Amino acid sequence: MSVATFEGSYLGAQDKISPLAIMECKVCWTPYDPAEGDDIRQIDPGTPFTALPDDWTCPTCSAPAEQFMVLEDPGAEAMQEAKRVEAVTAKLVDEFNEIWHSKMRDVPLVNKALRIEAIGFQAWNGQILGVLVSPWFMNLILLPDGEEWDLVTGAKEHIAFPSGEYEFIHNTRDTIGGYKACSLFSPMHDFTRQKDATDVARAVMGALFDEANKAETDRAADIRQAREAELAAQEAAEADAAKADEDDVPVLDAKPTRRAFLTAGMADAPVTETPLDAAE
Ligand code: FE
């Protein structure tokens, strides 16, 4: 038999099927569904095919587990995604570990109680998103989920999340190529332990996707927008009615406020950039 004949077969390749995979005996077509388990061999419902005992065989024809092939695998995509995220995140951590050890260790602004750690990295919107903690910064990081990004270092981009819009700076590194970073904290002197920093990083990932935060983060922007809109309306009334369409509200100034909200109260010190309108 050629190798191609075995396409889709299990053949003991446990890392290729997810815990949700429904398998089927190649000899007699008896399925194994993890949701049901196997009454005959007293396998509890919820047992993945890969977690079956070594001596488990087809309940109908006693063919060994290796003779089963994938009938349907609802978890395959999620598993592949998790592997991609893991690979990209590992590269990011390697890159910054290299920078840390080769260039940053003796720089006065670093916090030597901390180390490079990737927190909460996950697939998001066709990209990979997470927080990178380091001895000298904590950034939200966006990486490509697939082909490398060709980015211009220093370029700014505003990216929308359920909690609001945040400013990311484009950057490029040798091994990971282009990536986008939104500064949360820098320097990192207010964190005394790694766990304090990683707790904040996890909280940021939660706050980022919390739509309830949007009302708060938008308040300052809304006030500004209202003012701008009023001015634009006045101008429009005074001059040309057609100009009313151009009241493109400059929300850019409000961005630092949103970012500050994301990290507000999460560390003892404020973020480096003080919000323009934070003064009481
Ligand atoms: Fe069978």
Side-chain angles (χ1 to χ4, degrees):
M1 254 187 234
S2 73
V3 173
T5 312
F6 291 107
E7 195 170 314
S9 292
Y10 165 55
L11 290 173
Q14 299 213 348
D15 59 335
K16 292 212 170 76
I17 65 171
S18 87
L20 299 177
I22 298 168
M23 307 295 286
E24 186 176 59
C25 177
K26 216 160 62 170
V27 179
C28 74
W29 315 115
T30 297
Y32 176 82
D33 184 344
E36 291 170 15
D38 174 6
D39 279 349
I40 293 164
R41 310 284 162 116
Q42 295 180 318
I43 304 294
D44 292 335
T47 306
F49 187 79
T50 50
L52 290 170
D54 289 341
D55 61 354
W56 184 87
T57 59
C58 176
T60 307
C61 76
S62 294
E66 285 76 14
Q67 291 295 310
F68 277 64
M69 58 187 218
V70 178
L71 184 62
E72 190 187 328
D73 191 353
E77 204 174 312
M79 195 181 66
Q80 291 309 319
E81 183 181 282
K83 281 184 182 178
R84 290 198 310 273
V85 169
E86 199 181 323
V88 169
T89 306
K91 247 169 119 177
L92 177 75
V93 168
D94 285 351
E95 174 83 44
F96 278 91
N97 263 326
E98 166 64 23
I99 295 167
W100 167 230
H101 293 295
S102 66
K103 295 180 187 149
M104 295 301 294
R105 286 195 82 93
D106 299 320
V107 175
L109 67 82
V110 303
N111 180 347
K112 290 196 172 180
L114 305 180
R115 57 188 160 79
I116 308 286
E117 190 171 350
I119 301 296
F121 275 78
Q122 56 194 259
W124 172 76
N125 209 15
Q127 304 158 65
I128 292 171
L129 168 77
V131 174
L132 190 66
V133 170
S134 85
W136 67 102
F137 68 83
M138 186 192 302
N139 288 349
L140 262 174
I141 301 272
L142 272 169
L143 295 156
D145 187 0
E147 264 182 54
E148 276 190 13
W149 283 335
D150 188 12
L151 301 177
V152 176
T153 297
K156 293 175 180 177
E157 181 181 355
H158 296 100
I159 299 173
F161 291 88
S163 62
E165 215 173 83
Y166 304 92
E167 184 181 272
F168 283 72
I169 311 284
H170 292 187
N171 214 326
T172 298
R173 300 276 177 196
D174 287 346
T175 60
I176 56 173
Y179 68 97
K180 302 167 185 179
C182 172
S183 175
L184 298 167
F185 295 92
S186 183
M188 296 287 281
H189 295 309
D190 302 301
F191 298 97
T192 51
R193 295 177 307 165
Q194 180 74 9
K195 188 180 179 299
D196 296 342
T198 56
D199 282 351
V200 167
R202 285 191 182 87
V204 164
M205 286 301 285
L208 192 61
F209 289 99
D210 189 350
E211 278 186 48
N213 290 338
K214 194 163 168 58
E216 295 295 324
T217 56
D218 281 351
R219 190 169 297 151
D222 285 348
I223 292 166
R224 186 182 298 275
Q225 283 186 7
R227 252 186 249 131
E228 298 283 351
E230 278 168 23
L231 282 172
Q234 278 174 25
E235 280 174 26
E238 287 164 11
D240 189 350
K243 275 193 85 180
D245 288 339
E246 292 175 17
D247 64 341
D248 247 1
V249 183
V251 290
L252 298 195
D253 289 350
K255 294 307 185 300
T257 307
R258 293 167 189 239
R259 185 171 58 192
F261 178 80
L262 197 61
T263 54
M266 290 178 177
D268 293 328
V271 289
T272 325
E273 289 183 28
T274 306
L276 295 174
D277 44 2
E280 297 292 339

